[in-house]
Structure formats: structure tokens, C-alpha cells
Amino acid sequence: MSLELEKSNLTDIDRRTILLFLADFENSGVHLHDSKKQEFVELSTEIFDAGSKFVSEAGKPVQVNQFDRKKYGVDRLLTNPYPFTICEATRRWSYSTYYRHNEKQESSLRRLITARHRLANLTGYKTFADRAQEFSILGSYENAHNFLTEIIKCCRPSADRELTVLLDVLSQCDSQSEKLGEWDLQYLSAVYRQKAYGNIGAISRHLSFKNILFGFELVTKKLYGVRFSLETAEAGEIWPGNVHKLVVLDSSNSHIGTIYLDIEKRATKVTGDCHFTVRCSKLV
């Protein structure tokens, strides 16, 4: 397929796909001289290594000395801050301890940033941000920067009002502090919600999987004419666990695709919300 020779036969989607593939090849250094290609490979390896080390260390527990264990009543390892504890001193200490400076992490981060910058320069970009944003929805680093800046400007008045409310909540909590700390936000927000709305945990009984899926389908059907059909998977089609098979249909009942929802909580699952494409929707 060629942009020039088959131009009249290409749809907008075809042209977009070709341009993305070309950009991907160029960003992978296909157009570079052999000596530069070797440098590209080395920088890519450096980026992967530094990034992997940084991520693997980011969530590791922090060791707590005996004095602090006794003072704050915590375990030997601090696996996360204590944002919801009523004790302000413990909130502040746990936050500061868990997120304290780590020279090893800073070294990995500097390696990552440096290698990314060199890779961007090698492939013709001023910065890695320019390289990363070229084919994004916003199209460029400048657009992304301006977009985020405008969001901050628009949200700041609302954020300031909410912080004023939380500061008032803090004054009612027998606190010795007159300023909000990062460690206070989740706790004070929870206190405010409890006072303003009562036990919001009771709402969860209305948010069953069936009700959430039904509500989501109402939105997709209204906007796109797309609906879901919950079907039984065939033997060997899905992995072990509480996995739901959703067949996606358009307004004419034509099959669009299949979604497998794995909503079961278990130790072997990836932490956090995530999705994986089992099979691409376009043959290449």
C-alpha cells in the first residue's frame, strides 16, 4: 500500500494508519545511519533499564527504625502512608517518611530523562515531550502544555474553595496546625463527606456489577447505538476466575467485538485498573 500510488483508493482511516506506521518506523530509527542505529539501540536499552528500575523501586516498603515504630505504633516496614488516621502527627510522619528523598531513585530518574532526551535529539526532535506528543490527540507538546495550563486556570477557583472548606474542617479537628498539608487532604475530605452526606458506604449496595453495566450500556446506546449482550463463554475461551463475556453489537445487531471483564479480586492479578487488547481489530 502506497500513499502516492494508491492515493485514490485510500480512505481517511487508511491514510491515518499509514502515517502512524511511517512515524513509528522513523521513531524507531529506521532512517538513521548504521552508527546512529547502534546508538539508538543503546539508548533504548538504557531507557528500558532505568525506567524498569525506577518503577520496581517506587512501590517498595520503607524501613522504619525502632524509635519511630514505638513512637507512632507502626510496623517495621511502612508499605504506604496513613492518610486516614485521626492522629495528625502520624499522618505527617508517615507521608514524609514514605515519600522522602531516595538517591537511588533520583539516579534512575536522571538516567531515564537523560536517555530519553538524547533519543529524541537523535531522531530529530528538540525534546522527548515533542517526540511523545507528535501523534497524540493534541498534536504537539505546546498544545498539551497549553491545554493543561488552561485546565489548571479553570479549576483553580474551585480548588481554592474546596481547600478553604478543608481548612475549616481542620480547625474543628483540634489541630495545632493552621495550614493544610498534603497528608491532611484525604483525611479531611473523608471527615467532610461524613458530616455532609452521612455514611456514603450505604450507597454501594446500589452499585452492583449488573446495575453499573446497565447504566454504562444506557450511555453507549444513547451516544453510539452500541449495546452489550452478556453471553456464556465456551470451554477454554477464558481464563480461570469470575470473567464475564460481553458481546458488543451495533444498532443493526452486527457484531463489533467482544469484551472480557475480569472483576474478581485475587493475588495474581495486576494491581490497579487496566485493559489488554487480546486481538487487534484491524488486520495488517
Side-chain angles (χ1 to χ4, degrees):
M1 187 175 289
S2 168
L3 278 174
E4 298 300 327
L5 299 179
E6 302 182 52
K7 185 176 181 179
S8 60
N9 298 324
L10 300 178
T11 65
D12 290 341
I13 294 177
D14 292 331
R15 283 189 288 273
R16 174 66 173 171
T17 302
I18 291 175
L19 290 174
L20 287 174
F21 272 120
L22 287 174
D24 190 47
F25 280 125
E26 290 179 358
N27 284 339
S28 298
V30 69
H31 62 299
L32 298 175
H33 188 272
D34 288 346
S35 61
K36 296 295 183 181
K37 286 182 179 179
Q38 180 59 35
E39 183 180 357
F40 182 94
V41 172
E42 293 173 356
L43 287 172
S44 298
T45 302
E46 176 77 355
I47 290 171
F48 177 80
D49 182 65
S52 298
K53 287 182 178 178
F54 182 82
V55 172
S56 65
E57 293 289 331
K60 284 191 174 181
V62 176
Q63 288 193 348
V64 181
N65 60 51
Q66 187 174 1
F67 175 81
D68 285 337
R69 292 204 302 270
K70 185 176 181 180
K71 180 178 180 180
Y72 297 104
V74 298
D75 296 328
R76 184 174 61 86
L77 294 177
L78 185 65
T79 57
N80 55 265
Y82 298 128
F84 296 108
T85 181
I86 193 172
C87 178
E88 181 185 3
T90 301
R91 290 200 306 271
R92 181 172 60 251
W93 168 82
S94 64
Y95 182 92
S96 302
T97 301
Y98 188 77
Y99 293 115
R100 67 190 176 194
H101 176 255
N102 185 310
E103 291 187 4
K104 186 177 180 180
Q105 283 293 80
E106 181 178 341
S107 175
S108 295
L109 187 58
R110 286 182 178 274
R111 283 178 55 207
L112 176 63
I113 293 173
T114 300
R116 280 181 167 183
H117 183 71
R118 290 178 58 193
L119 185 73
N121 292 163
L122 184 66
T123 50
Y125 296 92
K126 183 179 179 181
T127 67
F128 186 80
D130 292 303
R131 171 186 164 94
Q133 290 294 326
E134 183 176 18
F135 284 92
S136 67
I137 293 177
L138 295 175
S140 69
Y141 161 71
E142 288 76 15
N143 290 342
H145 180 274
N146 293 337
F147 174 72
L148 294 175
T149 300
E150 288 303 314
I151 287 180
I152 292 173
K153 289 180 180 178
C154 292
C155 292
R156 184 175 294 278
S158 296
D160 288 340
R161 287 194 296 270
E162 291 185 8
L163 290 175
T164 300
V165 171
L166 294 184
L167 191 59
D168 181 60
V169 175
L170 180 65
S171 67
Q172 301 174 36
C173 293
D174 297 325
S175 172
Q176 301 299 318
S177 177
E178 296 181 354
K179 293 183 179 180
L180 290 172
E182 292 282 348
W183 48 85
D184 293 321
L185 298 181
Q186 292 189 58
Y187 172 74
L188 296 177
S189 296
V191 171
Y192 173 77
R193 286 195 299 269
Q194 178 68 30
K195 289 183 177 180
Y197 308 111
N199 183 17
I200 59 176
I203 300 175
S204 62
R205 69 174 183 269
H206 302 291
L207 301 177
S208 65
F209 170 74
K210 182 179 179 180
N211 288 342
I212 292 175
L213 184 60
F214 176 73
F216 181 61
E217 184 180 30
L218 286 178
V219 175
T220 59
K221 194 172 183 179
K222 181 73 173 179
L223 294 177
Y224 310 110
V226 171
R227 67 180 184 86
F228 306 124
S229 175
L230 188 60
E231 298 188 1
T232 302
E234 298 179 7
E237 183 179 0
I238 57 177
W239 53 96
N242 186 20
V243 182
H244 298 270
K245 177 182 178 181
L246 293 179
V247 174
V248 186
L249 306 168
D250 63 15
S251 56
S252 61
N253 285 330
S254 296
H255 180 265
I256 298 177
T258 305
I259 299 174
Y260 300 96
L261 289 177
D262 185 352
I263 61 174
E264 185 179 60
K265 184 178 181 180
R266 57 183 183 275
T268 55
K269 287 183 68 174
V270 177
T271 302
D273 301 326
C274 57
H275 78 276
F276 302 97
T277 301
V278 179
R279 183 172 62 182
C280 182
S281 61
K282 185 174 181 64
L283 297 177
V284 179

